[in-house]
Amino acid sequence: MTSVLKVGTFIPTLFLLLSMTLTASGQPLPDLLTAYLQQLPASARVSVAVESLADSSVSYARRADERVPSASVIKLPILLEAMERVKAGTLDLDEIHILTDAEKVGGDGVLKTYSHRSRIAYRDLLRLMMVYSDNTATNIFINELGMDAINARIRAVGLPKSQLNRVMMDTLAARQGRDNYVTCFEMNRLLKKIYRRQVATPELCEQMLTLLKQNEDTLTIPRLLPPGTVVAHKTGTLSYIRADVGIVYARQPFLLSIFVEGLPTADAERTIAETARICFTYFSRP
């Protein structure tokens, strides 16, 4: 473990200081990111897509079209389907859901601690799903919206490789190989549609962005950014992957979707944070 930390954390951190200097001198972003990622241990598998929201010609991709286990990032398209139902008038966010013990699952979230037959508005369930990554809230939406409908929405917005295949904490399905999948390119595409108010309604897109900006998990993209930097993002964690997809409001706002496999969680988090810092420094140039 010690040797992994020395290679996986300290050397990239030193490289980060160098990359900031190179960025200031006009080094292209792809060169900076390629050089940084080459410093990681051979076991690291990093899938990443970066795209400027101000200048579409500035981008970077590595394994960005490969399907990766989504972890809780899959909650982003579930959020979209919920908001599309609100637009259609078939979901009222102020309606009350009666929570039952049978709905509760483990992992992230607080609903598992609520009393049987607790009353909670769907608006609050959405917030718990996105801000605290609550698995029980997520499964309530999957069951009520329908897995087929969520996947149909994923296809309708142009994400052919992303797929919801199981509810949260379904360890049997995971052992059988039925995981949820996304790609970096497709998560950037979805985030861009929300940012540009091209799905649901402009007001509902604004509500989605507000939820994403309140994400309580700050160990990845926001971690090394200047205090006060606004990031609208959704994270994900499994024992074998750490992920974050989001919009970073730098001087030039940009999209960043990144999934790290093959590293201990702490090293994966640091890798995501340092990648975000390199991008932020680049996109914050005058």
Side-chain angles (χ1 to χ4, degrees), residues 84-141:
E84 292 286 2
R85 296 290 184 92
V86 173
K87 175 186 176 181
T90 56
L91 174 62
D92 181 355
L93 293 181
D94 294 319
E95 185 179 336
I96 299 298
H97 177 83
I98 307 299
L99 177 69
T100 67
D101 285 340
E103 292 174 314
K104 299 175 186 176
V105 295
D108 291 336
V110 298
L111 279 181
K112 61 190 176 187
T113 68
Y114 282 33
S115 300
H116 178 61
R117 297 197 63 76
S118 290
R119 297 168 58 84
I120 183 165
Y122 283 97
R123 187 180 307 280
D124 294 325
L125 289 174
L126 269 188
R127 186 171 190 276
L128 289 172
M129 178 175 74
M130 300 309 297
V131 177
Y132 302 100
S133 209
D134 194 294
N135 288 325
T136 297
T138 306
N139 285 356
I140 289 170
F141 279 112

Side-chain angles (χ1 to χ4, degrees), residues 10-258:
F10 300 143
I11 288 179
T13 301
L14 291 174
F15 179 81
L16 179 61
L17 299 176
L18 174 61
S19 73
M20 293 170 66
T21 302
L22 292 173
T23 300
S25 66
Q27 189 83 353
L29 181 63
D31 292 353
L32 287 167
L33 291 175
T34 297
Y36 168 71
L37 295 173
Q38 286 176 343
Q39 307 299 310
L40 298 175
S43 63
R45 296 186 303 281
V46 180
S47 302
V48 58
V50 183
E51 182 182 345
S52 169
L53 283 165
D55 180 358
S56 59
S57 68
V58 181
S59 63
Y60 175 82
R62 172 173 170 156
R63 301 181 73 240
D65 203 32
E66 294 187 26
R67 298 176 86 211
V68 290
S70 69
S72 288
V73 169
I74 198 66
K75 294 168 185 177
L76 180 58
I78 295 172
L79 170 67
L80 173 65
E81 173 60 12
M83 290 306 199
E84 292 286 2
R85 296 290 184 92
V86 173
K87 175 186 176 181
T90 56
L91 174 62
D92 181 355
L93 293 181
D94 294 319
E95 185 179 336
I96 299 298
H97 177 83
I98 307 299
L99 177 69
T100 67
D101 285 340
E103 292 174 314
K104 299 175 186 176
V105 295
D108 291 336
V110 298
L111 279 181
K112 61 190 176 187
T113 68
Y114 282 33
S115 300
H116 178 61
R117 297 197 63 76
S118 290
R119 297 168 58 84
I120 183 165
Y122 283 97
R123 187 180 307 280
D124 294 325
L125 289 174
L126 269 188
R127 186 171 190 276
L128 289 172
M129 178 175 74
M130 300 309 297
V131 177
Y132 302 100
S133 209
D134 194 294
N135 288 325
T136 297
T138 306
N139 285 356
I140 289 170
F141 279 112
I142 293 174
N143 290 331
E144 297 206 7
L145 299 174
M147 192 174 296
D148 288 344
I150 294 168
N151 282 323
R153 183 71 60 188
I154 288 173
R155 300 290 174 271
V157 295
L159 316 178
K161 292 189 174 182
S162 298
Q163 181 86 17
L164 174 67
N165 293 313
R166 63 171 178 83
V167 296
M168 304 300 104
M169 303 305 294
D170 188 344
T171 55
L172 175 60
R175 287 198 302 270
Q176 293 175 341
R178 289 186 287 117
D179 214 336
N180 302 318
Y181 292 97
V182 297
T183 76
C184 291
F185 275 148
E186 292 188 354
M187 290 304 96
N188 273 6
R189 188 175 304 147
L190 177 53
L191 287 165
K192 185 192 293 187
K193 287 178 179 292
I194 297 172
Y195 178 83
R196 301 208 186 282
R197 279 66 171 176
Q198 295 173 340
V199 290
T201 68
E203 180 184 354
L204 291 173
C205 284
E206 187 61 40
Q207 290 184 34
M208 286 189 271
L209 290 170
T210 296
L211 289 172
L212 292 169
K213 290 173 184 176
Q214 295 173 354
N215 188 344
E216 288 284 308
D217 185 353
T218 58
L219 294 175
T220 47
I221 288 177
R223 178 173 173 176
L224 298 177
L225 303 185
T229 301
V230 176
V231 182
H233 65 127
K234 183 68 195 82
T235 48
T237 309
L238 292 169
S239 61
Y240 45 89
I241 196 164
R242 191 68 161 101
D244 202 351
V245 304
I247 302 162
V248 182
Y249 291 79
R251 186 173 182 274
Q252 296 181 53
F254 66 92
L255 301 163
L256 170 60
S257 290
I258 178 168

